[in-house]
Amino acid sequence: MAANDTLEGCFELMGGDFSNAGAASSELKSILTKLGISADIVRRAAVTAFEAEMNVIIHAVAGTMHYMIIDNTLTITLNDMGPGIESIELAMQEGYSTAPDWVREMGWGAGMGLPNIKKYADIFKIDTVVGEGTTLEIYFRLKGEKC
Amino acid sequence: MLTVSAIAERLGLNVVVKGDVSRTVSGCYVSDLLSDVMAHSKDDNLWITLQTHPNIVAVAVIKGIAAVILTNGRSPEAETVRKAEAEKVTIMISADGTFELAGRLYAMTKDLQP
């Protein structure tokens, strides 16, 4: 892939659709692997995508996951129609979660989602409006990648 | 080097969904919190858990888990089996509790460490 080629795609996510949870992230992982992106970046990107996908499924009505590769940067953007995040500071604290008990019983909602995204992303941005929704932008530098 | 099938045989595990059991296992992670597994498991790890719902398959795929082992004789949900078959994720059941199984696995694998 030449430096200026753009590659992108989009997945639709349904809030509450636990049975398909992870489908978009698994598909993204397979696309990135096929593009020849290094295993380390694929691994990190897949974890951040899955955590972000789960946040949409747990908290929002619906959302989208969009990926784009341009200028040696992979950007994963999640846009949702959800409740928004009242306190980003609290949401970034490991162990803090607003997920309901039945979601916690499934082993989600441990308050590790956003901290995991921060841990694995090169750059990570949150834009949220309470009552409207949240946008996450997750960036990975592909400098030196063979894709 | 220990493969999934060798471990299944030595520990008497019931292989419910047979993916690639010739995979070499790199170690093991034990957790029922899915985000914890996402953060800390490694490629080709075995994953011991009590969770039986379909999301364990997605976590296993995303994290490159060699095989999932359910403890205390718990069975995966029907939808979990269907997804695991589609994704070729190995799921095995142990009659042991988590502590006992982890201990037996630890004893088997500690000599493999370089």
Side-chain angles (χ1 to χ4, degrees):
Chain A
M1 184 174 121
N4 290 324
D5 283 354
T6 305
L7 216 144
E8 61 179 322
C10 193
F11 305 97
E12 306 225 338
L13 307 173
M14 285 299 293
D17 186 9
F18 281 85
S19 71
N20 286 311
S25 304
S26 302
E27 176 75 24
L28 178 62
K29 183 184 181 187
S30 132
I31 289 168
L32 297 178
T33 303
K34 282 182 193 142
L35 287 172
I37 291 172
S38 76
D40 170 62
I41 291 177
V42 171
R43 209 176 284 128
R44 292 191 288 125
V47 168
T48 61
F50 195 6
E51 289 288 8
E53 181 181 352
M54 284 316 302
N55 283 345
V56 174
I57 288 165
I58 293 168
H59 298 285
V61 177
T64 55
M65 178 194 293
H66 177 262
Y67 68 91
M68 182 167 73
I69 298 172
I70 188 167
D71 293 339
N72 288 316
T73 303
L74 163 65
T75 308
I76 305 171
T77 306
L78 284 102
N79 227 312
D80 73 39
M81 288 181 284
I85 301 170
E86 295 214 13
S87 165
I88 291 176
E89 196 185 334
L90 278 176
M92 291 305 302
Q93 256 177 40
E94 194 147 327
Y96 178 86
S97 175
T98 57
D101 284 349
W102 68 270
V103 167
R104 293 173 197 248
E105 279 161 20
M106 292 176 76
W108 296 114
M112 295 177 70
L114 292 176
N116 272 357
I117 294 171
K118 188 182 176 192
K119 177 178 169 189
Y120 284 108
D122 285 333
I123 303 171
F124 157 50
K125 293 179 184 168
I126 306 179
D127 188 13
T128 187
V129 178
V130 172
E132 287 186 19
T134 301
T135 300
L136 289 189
E137 286 180 321
I138 306 165
Y139 300 90
F140 295 90
R141 282 182 292 272
L142 304 180
K143 205 92 180 161
E145 296 295 306
K146 278 183 281 181
C147 74
Chain B
M1 293 218 306
L2 271 175
T3 60
V4 172
S5 61
I7 287 169
E9 197 178 332
R10 279 174 66 179
L11 294 178
L13 305 176
N14 173 14
V15 182
V16 192
V17 180
K18 194 171 178 178
D20 179 6
V21 292
S22 67
R23 279 173 77 165
T24 300
V25 168
S26 62
C28 182
Y29 198 72
V30 184
S31 183
D32 298 324
L33 290 180
L34 304 196
S35 288
D36 177 45
V37 178
M38 298 267 276
H40 297 119
S41 67
K42 301 210 162 56
D43 263 0
D44 298 310
N45 271 185
L46 294 171
W47 172 25
I48 302 179
T49 183
L50 285 174
Q51 299 288 357
T52 58
H53 60 78
N55 293 173
I56 60 174
V57 176
V59 171
V61 169
I62 295 277
K63 291 295 293 187
I65 295 289
V68 182
I69 309 179
L70 307 177
T71 50
N72 276 337
R74 288 166 81 111
S75 292
E77 293 174 14
E79 180 65 9
T80 308
V81 171
R82 200 189 62 73
K83 282 195 189 305
E85 281 169 348
E87 298 283 354
K88 299 185 171 47
V89 169
T90 300
I91 298 184
M92 308 189 285
I93 301 175
S94 170
D96 289 340
T98 300
F99 177 73
E100 193 181 359
L101 179 73
R104 293 173 70 194
L105 257 174
Y106 185 81
M108 272 174 75
T109 57
K110 70 174 173 15
D111 300 332
L112 301 174
Q113 306 305 325

